Amino acid sequence: MFAAVRSSSLLRRTFTTRPVNGFTGAVGNTPLIYLKGLSEQTGSTILGKAEFQNPGGSVKDRAALGLVLDAEKRGLLKPGGTVVEGTAGNTGIGLAHVCRSRGYRCVIFMPDTQSQEKIDLLRMLGAEVYPVPAVAYDNPKNYNHQARDFAKNLPNAIWTDQFDNTANANAHYETTGPEIWEQTQGKVNGFICATGTGGTLAGVGRYLAEKGAGKTQIWLADPPGSVLTSYVTSGGKLIERTGSSITEGIGQGRITNNLGTFVDKLSGAFTVPDEKSIDMVYRLLETEGLYLGASSALNVVAAVELAGKLGKGSTVVTVLCDGAYRYQSRLFSRKWLESKGLDGAISDSLQKYIVLP
């Protein structure tokens, strides 16, 4: 699919689209990046959907816009209203951008375990941010429940409920899935990504599975500490898992409504260790020039593994969720890596990129 490109044409691009309408008009239509080194290594075509090129910097721009547009369409959100969400970061950033562009107040509740870069950015974007203790979903003090209760007490306010509002998955079914199908010319053997809300995996998966008429496999990649791999591989049992992961915003302890729209149709699932994810953060920087976060790196590790399962010549697509800028004080800090026991997971030739103390 991706023959060698002559160097003389590398900088030649054709721009045929018309100007878009503000921030919201710029969401989507992201490039599909051919990962040359990994593709050559596997004998397959490994492709990453460059969601970090959305105007808010992440894949969650799509969900944020989809949730707000759905609320407007259903008459739940009127001019001057308030949008409230519980989020680990990127959905909140997307919502803050969308709210600024459409004239809404934005209120975010988030676990206090998230990176300071995300919290600072949310506040810079004008959102009201309430970091709260990270507790389990069944605890009434969970950040999602606090967001829900806050919205209930306000006039003209909505809780977007990103985990269980299926407008999230529908946004990916209507945009991300069709883009991938068109960009691969319908030649995609496998799609894989990690999931937090389940919107990306379920929406893209449903579209590709339908268009591929059963020939496109859809897989779930999981970080340590999540129960989703066990759910898929055990035939529907939520087996308790111990441990945690350095990745932010992915992994789950339950089946969300978004994931529930497609989870029983998944081809399979497996867990990716943090050691492999952190090494891939550095490998992608070294070999592809891509400065990506840990969840993106996990997805790429998973795509390589899925390509091995599908065999040489296969085409596998994954999601490059966001850049490393929001996590650089952790991912590129030797002190932080050592505290997680991950400094040794990074290849000797890549240690030069650990530039922060």
Side-chain angles (χ1 to χ4, degrees):
M1 181 189 300
F2 288 82
V5 180
R6 289 181 300 176
S7 59
S8 62
S9 65
L10 285 176
L11 297 179
R12 189 187 309 134
R13 299 182 65 186
T14 302
F15 297 93
T16 57
T17 56
R18 297 177 180 176
V20 297
N21 187 9
F23 176 93
T24 59
V27 174
N29 292 313
T30 57
L32 193 61
I33 298 178
Y34 173 62
L35 302 178
K36 182 176 182 292
L38 295 171
S39 297
E40 292 177 349
Q41 171 190 317
T42 59
S44 301
T45 298
I46 309 293
L47 304 171
K49 188 72 165 140
E51 291 299 283
F52 60 89
Q53 290 197 14
N54 278 306
S58 88
V59 64
K60 295 298 187 178
D61 287 0
R62 295 185 191 257
L65 179 57
L67 291 165
V68 170
L69 291 180
D70 179 72
E72 291 176 348
K73 182 178 180 181
R74 293 193 290 147
L76 303 176
L77 184 63
K78 298 178 175 59
T82 301
V83 174
V84 186
E85 183 55 281
T87 168
N90 278 333
T91 301
I93 291 168
L95 284 170
H97 278 289
V98 171
C99 286
R100 290 279 67 75
S101 70
R102 300 181 82 80
Y104 301 122
R105 175 189 177 196
C106 183
V107 178
I108 301 297
F109 287 79
M110 68 189 304
D112 58 9
T113 54
Q114 299 306 296
S115 67
Q116 189 62 43
E117 288 98 331
K118 285 184 178 180
I119 296 172
D120 292 342
L121 177 57
L122 281 166
R123 288 174 172 157
M124 290 174 192
L125 292 171
E128 298 172 35
V129 184
Y130 298 95
V132 298
V135 296
Y137 185 79
D138 57 6
N139 188 315
K141 293 297 184 181
N142 178 274
Y143 64 100
N144 291 289
H145 305 325
Q146 292 201 50
R148 175 198 62 202
D149 296 342
F150 187 90
K152 281 181 180 178
N153 295 320
L154 290 177
N156 190 19
I158 61 162
W159 169 47
T160 44
D161 190 13
Q162 61 165 326
F163 289 89
D164 293 313
N165 183 345
T166 55
N168 177 347
N170 288 339
H172 290 284
Y173 179 82
E174 294 173 358
T175 66
T176 324
E179 288 172 28
I180 291 172
W181 186 257
E182 181 179 351
Q183 288 168 321
T184 59
Q185 300 171 347
K187 299 173 182 177
V188 51
N189 303 110
F191 174 80
I192 188 166
C193 70
T195 181
T197 66
T200 305
L201 181 65
V204 174
R206 180 160 63 96
Y207 186 88
L208 295 180
E210 289 175 2
K211 295 295 288 187
K215 295 180 181 179
T216 301
Q217 293 192 23
I218 312 298
W219 285 66
L220 182 151
D222 226 11
S226 175
V227 303
L228 299 180
T229 292
S230 66
Y231 180 91
V232 175
T233 57
S234 70
K237 298 178 182 178
L238 282 172
I239 302 171
E240 189 69 29
R241 287 182 60 92
T242 58
S244 60
S245 174
I246 63 166
T247 56
E248 298 183 18
I250 57 175
Q252 262 295 346
R254 66 186 181 95
I255 304 300
T256 65
N257 285 355
N258 279 292
L259 184 57
T261 64
F262 191 75
V263 67
D264 293 334
K265 299 179 181 65
L266 288 170
S267 304
F270 53 82
T271 298
V272 176
D274 279 350
E275 290 80 1
K276 290 187 176 181
S277 295
I278 193 66
D279 185 56
M280 186 59 77
V281 167
Y282 285 73
R283 287 181 63 191
L284 288 168
L285 180 57
E286 169 83 353
T287 63
E288 306 288 346
L290 293 172
Y291 188 60
L292 303 173
S295 56
S296 299
L298 182 151
N299 284 345
V300 175
V301 172
V304 170
E305 186 167 334
L306 180 57
K309 294 177 183 295
L310 298 181
K312 291 186 176 182
S314 58
T315 296
V316 177
V317 178
T318 193
V319 178
L320 308 180
C321 315
D322 62 6
Y325 304 98
R326 293 169 185 172
Y327 321 96
Q328 61 189 18
S329 64
R330 298 182 180 189
L331 296 180
F332 294 87
S333 163
R334 188 168 296 280
K335 182 178 179 180
W336 185 84
L337 291 167
E338 288 175 349
S339 74
K340 300 297 181 181
L342 292 173
D343 53 312
I346 300 166
S347 305
D348 290 343
S349 63
L350 303 178
Q351 291 276 327
K352 62 187 177 183
Y353 293 110
I354 307 177
V355 298
L356 300 178

